[in-house]
Amino acid sequence: MKYYSTRDTAVSLSAAQAVKQGLSRDGGLLTPETFPALTQEDLTAMLPMTYQERAARIMGLYLEDYSADELAEFARRAYGPDRFDTRAVAPVKMLDAATYCLELWHGPTSAFKDLALQMLPQLLSAALKKTGETRTACILAATSGDTGKAAMEGFADVEQTKILTFYPKDGVSAVQEAQMVTQRGENVSVCAVVGNFDDAQSGVKRIFSDEALRAELDGRGYFLSSANSINWGRILPQVVYYISAYCDLVRDGRLRMGEKLNFCVPTGNFGDILAGYYARKMGLPVGKLICASNKNDVLTEFLTTGTYDRNRTFYNTMSPSMDILISSNLERLLFDLSGRDDGKVRDYMDQLAMSGSYRVDDGIFAQIRELFWAGSCGEEATSAAIARSYAERGYLIDPHTAVAADVLRQYRAATGDKTPSVFLSTASPFKFCASVLTAIGETPQGEGVELIDQLQYVTGRSAPWRLAALREKARRFDQTRTKEEMPDAVRAFLV
């Protein structure tokens, strides 16, 4: 299977090349030439499988230059009991007869990014060997809170790699920052960026497009790759948990094979919900894909009007991983819905770069309205959703999950749709202790990682042990750069 650039279909790479490179040199996103079909018989065959077995099976449909044995071993390493605190890896929790929560935070960094970023290092290491690469991969990641830690955890001390993460200064939670600046590994580094996530993400993209810098690094024995969801090796493992959740519900008698299932996804960069769209294209019986935004509701506006406009106020919210105004993975959706019209996609992206907005044509917008429903959730409603979940169900959720829970409630009220639905839980509540404590009526006593103990005491829940151990870890990194200085941070890192 080949992988094409969303901005130039003449660019054609193998799976290993796509994983290694991360982003097309023209700025486009690498996307598979086709989406293999999954029949009901295929889904039935996966019912008794473990999460690891399902992951190897699904990824093997796309990664033809990786062997079945390789992928099985990668899945065992990525999702084993030393990494995840439950055998289910991504368990589905039943909340009522028609509502379920897909818990994606049982990995080493207590966030959904682990499902992809425990697998990506396995795929990239193998890709380096398959392509005969002798240079060291310099992996750059822009993070709005969770990607950075998950990427560094996955790549820590991985041979032939170095990883540098950029995060918005004062734009992540105290626990998220503590996770990053205390990261172990001789091949990792972290840099705060003055500005917001879009500044960090745009800075990384500019670095990838800087031919002079790429040539300079090549002369020093390095090449650039990405750990963000612009890398196909990040998106593909996320497709797995949609299919696995459906299989779990059928296996446990909660759903009939072939019955539709809605998914409500809290998202900012559009990668998580895009994976659900790809699962649907493969044949998973998905009803509606419900896009949940926080106060930075650029995606909600786009999916309901057809106009994407980043020219708006940026808000720092209690759900910082969604504080994004430029949703990179939307480009992959436009590529697919336009019939792989690279010229049209390139034109939209040029408009976005020049004026900050674009409007899709009527044909694309009609498809979007058929596939997606979108809603947003402000700060007060987010707190109320946390409080409601805890009071009514005894279920503790983080602010990102609360956004999804509330938007699912909005969707049902607006449409009357009674289809069984899953909302995705993307982070442990213990990563956002101050917001969760305040929402459930408590006054935070302290700040940062100190609040983990208070949230444990108040709720009687245990924090993931890696989060609880943060207060004993020393800070290793403390640099800040402007977005214009990001290339200098890369140069300094690779001395």
Side-chain angles (χ1 to χ4, degrees):
M1 181 182 294
K2 295 297 183 182
Y3 290 78
Y4 301 130
S5 167
T6 52
R7 302 187 193 181
D8 183 0
T9 53
V11 174
S12 176
L13 303 178
S14 69
Q17 289 172 324
V19 169
K20 183 181 82 170
Q21 190 167 306
L23 182 71
S24 179
R25 298 304 182 215
D26 56 18
L29 278 60
L30 297 164
T31 303
E33 63 179 322
T34 188
F35 292 89
L38 282 178
T39 65
Q40 289 191 16
E41 289 73 19
D42 293 326
L43 292 172
T44 299
M46 283 191 276
L47 297 185
M49 291 184 182
T50 63
Y51 189 90
Q52 293 89 335
E53 290 168 337
R54 291 170 184 167
R57 167 83 174 85
I58 294 160
M59 291 193 300
L61 300 174
Y62 291 90
L63 304 176
E64 293 177 349
D65 39 356
Y66 291 76
S67 72
D69 287 343
E70 281 181 306
L71 293 173
E73 179 59 27
F74 295 165
R76 283 193 291 271
R77 292 179 196 164
Y79 306 126
D82 58 327
R83 305 290 180 94
F84 283 77
D85 63 17
T86 171
R87 289 182 61 188
V89 180
V92 183
K93 182 178 181 64
M94 180 179 177
L95 300 179
D96 62 45
T99 310
Y100 305 88
C101 183
L102 177 56
E103 295 183 344
L104 300 173
W105 43 262
H106 289 276
T109 76
S110 302
F112 81 104
K113 305 295 176 70
D114 290 326
L115 274 299
L117 285 166
Q118 288 299 305
M119 177 57 70
L120 180 58
Q122 317 285 333
L123 299 176
L124 180 59
S125 293
L128 298 179
K129 296 181 176 65
K130 291 176 185 297
T131 59
E133 183 59 71
T134 59
R135 295 169 297 171
T136 295
C138 175
I139 300 152
L140 303 182
T143 185
S144 52
D146 289 328
T147 290
K149 170 61 179 179
M152 289 189 291
E153 184 69 25
F155 280 101
D157 294 324
V158 171
E159 186 180 357
Q160 207 178 339
T161 69
K162 298 193 75 171
I163 179 166
L164 172 59
T165 290
F166 295 99
Y167 71 94
K169 182 175 175 60
D170 303 321
V172 299
S173 80
V175 172
Q176 287 175 316
E177 183 177 44
Q179 285 185 297
M180 288 187 281
V181 300
T182 60
Q183 175 63 46
R184 65 178 179 84
E186 296 303 311
N187 64 333
V188 307
S189 188
V190 186
C191 179
V193 176
V194 178
N196 56 40
F197 170 75
D198 292 324
D199 295 317
Q201 179 171 249
S202 297
V204 167
K205 287 185 174 181
R206 282 193 297 272
I207 291 170
F208 271 91
S209 300
D210 187 333
E211 294 184 9
L213 179 57
R214 290 208 313 269
E216 176 188 337
L217 297 182
D218 181 63
R220 296 165 61 181
Y222 295 99
F223 74 94
L224 296 175
S225 188
S226 173
N228 280 94
S229 56
I230 53 178
N231 190 320
W232 175 248
R234 268 283 310 275
I235 294 293
L236 178 56
Q238 293 179 255
V239 175
V240 174
Y241 52 69
Y242 286 91
I243 297 170
S244 184
Y246 189 92
C247 288
D248 281 351
L249 289 173
V250 174
R251 180 200 62 199
D252 296 342
R254 305 293 183 187
L255 207 64
R256 299 184 308 277
M257 178 59 74
E259 186 178 359
K260 292 288 181 70
L261 182 66
N262 294 336
F263 286 93
C264 184
V265 188
T267 187
N269 218 18
F270 207 75
D272 201 2
I273 197 166
L274 179 75
Y277 169 74
Y278 286 158
R280 187 184 192 277
K281 276 189 68 73
M282 294 175 69
L284 191 71
V286 176
K288 214 70 166 179
L289 288 164
I290 304 161
C291 180
S293 300
N294 63 12
K295 196 174 181 180
N296 293 296
D297 59 354
V298 63
L299 281 171
T300 299
E301 181 181 81
F302 171 72
L303 294 172
T304 54
T305 69
T307 296
Y308 194 97
D309 188 356
R310 65 172 173 83
N311 300 310
R312 62 184 63 224
T313 302
F314 179 92
Y315 298 101
N316 288 308
T317 74
M318 69 176 75
S319 48
S321 296
M322 299 162 66
D323 290 345
I324 297 170
L325 295 182
I326 303 175
S327 303
S328 290
N329 272 291
L330 198 55
E331 183 170 340
R332 281 187 167 114
L333 179 71
L334 298 178
F335 182 66
D336 198 62
L337 296 184
S338 68
R340 304 192 160 225
D341 188 335
D342 54 357
K344 182 173 288 188
V345 171
R346 191 165 55 248
D347 182 55
Y348 290 148
M349 295 304 105
D350 286 345
Q351 290 179 52
L352 182 64
M354 290 185 292
S355 67
S357 68
Y358 61 87
R359 179 173 180 80
V360 296
D361 65 39
D362 291 345
I364 292 176
F365 185 49
Q367 294 178 77
I368 286 172
R369 294 304 301 270
E370 177 67 24
L371 293 162
F372 295 93
W373 193 91
S376 62
C377 181
E379 296 289 86
E380 290 186 8
T382 301
S383 290
I386 295 171
R388 187 165 53 246
S389 177
Y390 187 60
E392 295 178 1
R393 290 170 167 156
Y395 190 49
L396 199 64
I397 57 176
D398 90 294
H400 304 79
T401 307
V403 168
D406 188 70
V407 171
L408 176 59
R409 181 188 61 80
Q410 294 177 37
Y411 169 75
R412 284 173 162 168
T415 66
D417 186 0
K418 294 183 167 62
T419 301
S421 300
V422 174
F423 63 89
L424 274 58
S425 181
T426 54
S428 165
F430 286 92
K431 297 190 78 167
F432 304 93
C433 297
S435 296
V436 173
L437 282 164
T438 301
I440 63 175
E442 300 290 334
T443 301
Q445 304 294 320
E447 59 183 22
V449 297
E450 299 171 357
L451 298 178
I452 293 175
D453 288 343
Q454 184 185 355
L455 187 56
Q456 289 187 115
Y457 176 77
V458 166
T459 63
R461 271 68 168 178
S462 297
W465 69 267
R466 292 180 180 88
L467 294 184
L470 279 175
R471 64 189 313 166
E472 310 300 328
K473 291 190 174 183
R475 188 182 184 106
R476 293 184 62 200
F477 306 105
D478 198 19
Q479 68 166 319
T480 300
R481 303 268 189 162
T482 65
K483 59 184 178 181
E484 292 80 14
E485 294 171 333
M486 289 171 63
D488 294 329
V490 174
R491 291 185 178 96
F493 176 52
L494 300 179
V495 168

